[in-house]
Amino acid sequence: MIMKTLFKIVLLVTLFFGVTSCEDLLTEKPANFYSTENFFNSTDKLRMAVNSVYTTFSCQMTYGQYWMVYDCDTDISFIQGTNLGHVARDLGHYNVYVAHAWLQESWQAYYEGIDRANTILEYRDNVEIVDEADQKVFDQLIAETHCLRAMCYFDLVLLFGDVPLKTEASKAEHDFNIPRTDRNKVFDQMEEDFKAAINGMEYAVDQSIEFKGRLNKGAAMGLLARMNLFRAGYFLNQKGVMERYPNYKAYYQNVIDITDQLIASNKHALLPNYERVFRNMCELIVDPTENIWEIPFFNPVGNKHNSSMIGTYNGPAIGQQSSYGRANSFIKTHNFFYDTYEENDLRKDVAVATFNISNEDEVRPIAVNQSYNWAPGKWRRNWQTGQVKDNNNTDVNWLFIRYADVLLMRAEAENEVNGVTPAAVEYLNQVRRRAFGFDYRSPEPSVDLVVSDFINPDEFRNEIVDERARELCFEGLRRQDLIRWNLLGTKLQETGEKIKNAISQNKLNRFQFVAAERFVPGKHELYPIPDHEVRETNGIITQNPNYSE
């Protein structure tokens, strides 16, 4: 597509990708215009350009709303309602089709971000650096650009598999009918970008005040580890078969090496209280101790632009007249997930809201036999302290990566490479201790697991599957985790059977878990390539397996 996008700072970047040209856009003459060649003449202008890449993630087409649905339906969450023909419900219930508008919008947003990043990296040498302090600013901003480009490609690969790899800034003379690139080569590019980001940034606690809240070294390291974790896992190939790379253990070893360095830095830690992690977010407190990086959201009047729907879309239902502000609670969970927590696990009543709130601010418990109306509880609107500016939109950030995830990645990778070792169990125990209210760094026999609790690595892996759900639920990782373990279809079927059995035993009111009925293995592990991209490139961009026009 040839598409013109004006940066908020009047930098014009034209994205050419996969569609025929539009003469009207090419001939339009804006009144205020910087040529790309002349724009990048200072670190101030560079910062403006980098800020425009951040907007790829701080929009509702990605993490402000859509990614909440991209993480559904799984064994722990689903989209409310059973009727198909609804834009979000179709995605969550595996009724996805090639012309789905959200997929096209996300694809466009990511490639727009990529092209902006490519433009910055191409014209970086035009920036005039005046002193040593300016050099540090330049290094940070270029590192951020590398990290953001890698993040764009990471999400595209998770959603669509093989995608076109483009690392040059778009120009009118380019051929934009670019075929899809094997995901492994895209991962290679991501690795280069994440490593460049690590080398150019400082840890969050060491950042100067002007860079607080922006990407940091710990985030880049955590994301590089996450990338290797997914590279080690299963994926749907273009023949419609789930496979993994023969050398997958080498990627797990990379996870060990990266997380060891991040853990040893002592720059991040678990907060003593699990609930405080999410209370901070609801109170608009940014604390990078555990939350290594959050995607920032803010709109001064509550409009959709740069707002999120966190706490309204994925929180307990709240009446429209409530002083807390309405929450339509479109994402739900159930007692089958809630029951995976042990009795004294302090996380369960943080993670799962077993209630709704009336117009009069009354908290009303929801019975277990209607637990399909329970909701994620981590960002509930009655915890939010900011001004209620809109019934749908909030300023709550998206939690992109936190230290608990780093510990669980380290535990999982250790088990995959070396088996059930004391190190693997210790990293798992660190997350568990905090969950029961203990100091995570000190052994606690009452909750600690030991090596002998696990017969083999498969048993430990099963514990990791469950523990990542309990700790990281509703943070945008579950569906993709299940795919890389090749467990998505299995977990959907298991959940569907639990629901049917509970209904037959009169423990649950009648409820249809649509995902278990509609999920097709070898197809729904990926979303379809937007049909617009296939059509406008005359099939040079091919469709994913088992989808048709």
Side-chain angles (χ1 to χ4, degrees), residues 100 125 229 252 305 352 427 442 447:
H100 197 285
D125 292 339
L229 197 71
Y252 278 123
H305 186 64
V352 179
Y427 288 116
S442 301
V447 300

Side-chain angles (χ1 to χ4, degrees), residues 415-435:
N415 179 62
E416 297 296 338
V417 174
N418 300 313
V420 188
T421 66
V425 178
E426 170 60 19
Y427 288 116
L428 175 61
N429 279 334
Q430 288 188 19
V431 175
R432 283 178 53 83
R433 288 170 196 148
R434 196 265 299 271

